[in-house]
Amino acid sequence: MPQTMRPIAIFISALLILTVISQLVYTATLSGVGIVEGWPLRSTIWTVEILLFTAIAIASVVGLIRSPSLQLGWSALVVAGLMNMIQSGIGLSMFLPASQAGEEFAPLMGTVLAGSFLFYYLAKVVLGLAAIFFGLALFRGVDTIGRALGLVSLITGLVAIVLNIAAVRMGLGAVPLAGASGAIATFFAGCAVWYSARQAE
């Protein structure tokens, strides 16, 4: 990774880890809480997430331009950022009105949920790819810690891809496992990006 990319890479790695923290907060505080009841906190978290993923998408375009050797990894982060922006946007704009529409519109809420989680799963698949690409770059190096981190990033990325591709077909029932695997892969992708930037010092 070029040394000029170091500040951007550190910034992106921090954003990726912040998205994982936001998902942990969401799960810990809003699991089992209804859309309407939990809307103030839920909408706040989703607003933060949509801003984080917008920043990830924009900053990763810079990585795509400046770091040709890692173009696949940066491309994956751009696409993942865009998909998560769509997923969070669906939640922010459609979940509350759809849930308040009444029982006769319950199928509408189901459709909105299914559409949102389709992008959720696909984004996790692409984040898994990012974890693989950045992990592979580290694993090919000579640094022992970097190789170990790269291997872990590779494995977690692969697991996230498999589980979230399966979840695309299974639907909402696959959220816990698919979401957890995606969050872990995102964390290690962030760590791999950070370590790659550290090596550019």
Side-chain angles (χ1 to χ4, degrees):
M1 182 183 295
Q3 193 167 10
T4 56
M5 262 303 296
R6 185 172 176 267
I8 295 291
I10 291 172
F11 176 64
I12 292 171
S13 66
L15 293 176
L16 287 168
I17 292 170
L18 283 173
T19 66
V20 175
I21 293 171
S22 74
Q23 289 179 58
L24 291 173
V25 172
Y26 183 94
T27 302
T29 57
L30 292 168
S31 181
V33 179
I35 296 293
V36 176
E37 295 82 0
W39 188 251
L41 179 57
R42 181 173 275 112
S43 61
T44 300
I45 292 174
W46 283 344
T47 300
V48 170
E49 287 184 345
I50 203 169
L51 293 174
L52 290 173
F53 284 116
T54 300
I56 287 170
I58 293 170
S60 295
V61 172
V62 178
L64 186 60
I65 295 168
R66 290 188 182 177
S67 186
S69 63
L70 290 168
Q71 281 184 335
L72 288 174
W74 296 121
S75 297
L77 289 179
V78 172
V79 173
L82 293 173
M83 286 184 173
N84 274 298
M85 287 160 61
I86 294 170
Q87 186 260 330
S88 298
I90 291 173
L92 276 171
S93 62
M94 299 182 187
F95 274 24
L96 187 61
S99 65
Q100 292 177 324
E103 284 298 320
E104 64 272 23
F105 289 99
L108 172 63
M109 183 60 190
T111 300
V112 172
L113 276 170
S116 175
F117 276 98
L118 174 65
F119 284 104
Y120 177 83
Y121 295 140
L122 287 175
K124 299 299 184 194
V125 170
V126 182
L127 282 165
L129 284 172
I132 287 176
F133 293 137
F134 283 104
L136 189 59
L138 286 178
F139 188 70
R140 287 173 173 166
V142 295
D143 182 276
T144 303
I145 296 174
R147 285 174 60 84
L149 177 58
L151 181 60
V152 174
S153 186
L154 273 165
I155 293 170
T156 57
L158 182 61
V159 171
I161 289 170
V162 171
L163 291 180
N164 281 276
I165 287 176
V168 168
R169 178 171 174 77
M170 293 171 62
L172 296 176
V175 171
L177 270 179
S181 68
I184 293 169
T186 303
F187 175 78
F188 282 105
C191 291
V193 171
W194 171 80
Y195 203 83
S196 296
R198 183 176 176 272
Q199 288 182 324
E201 292 180 9

